[in-house]
Amino acid sequence: MSTNDYWTIALAIGAVAAVVVVILLVLLLQSIARIRGSVGGLLEIAGGVAANTSNIPQLEATAPVLALIVEEAVVQDGYMNALTDGYGDAA
């Protein structure tokens, strides 16, 4: 083999390597574009989630109110029992 043959082989290998690098760069740029699109969508969704969860701290006030409702329900049940005691007894 002559020196020109070695140069031709080296240039061919370099050209193949360059083509592979270009293909990989194109794939990388496509992936980056998809990631940017996904991040944009996530930012919109994150705003919605933040709006939906902003009222969660107010739920801390729910437990004491529920206890009052249960107490009142027991009182009302007692009243209803007192009103209906003996109702329907056919004597």
Side-chain angles (χ1 to χ4, degrees):
M1 287 181 72
S2 70
T3 307
N4 285 341
D5 292 337
Y6 288 121
W7 276 107
T8 304
I9 292 171
L11 288 175
I13 291 172
V16 169
V19 168
V20 169
V21 168
V22 168
I23 290 171
L24 290 174
L25 284 174
V26 167
L27 291 174
L28 178 64
L29 291 174
Q30 289 175 348
S31 294
I32 290 171
R34 282 191 300 249
I35 290 169
R36 283 186 179 175
S38 296
V39 168
L42 287 174
L43 290 176
E44 291 176 18
I45 292 171
V49 170
N52 290 340
T53 58
S54 64
N55 295 326
I56 288 178
Q58 294 175 352
L59 290 175
E60 292 176 359
T62 304
V65 172
L66 289 177
L68 293 173
I69 291 171
V70 169
E71 290 175 13
E72 184 63 25
V74 169
V75 170
Q76 294 300 321
D77 184 54
Y79 291 153
M80 293 305 291
N81 286 339
L83 289 174
T84 59
D85 282 347
Y87 180 76
D89 289 340

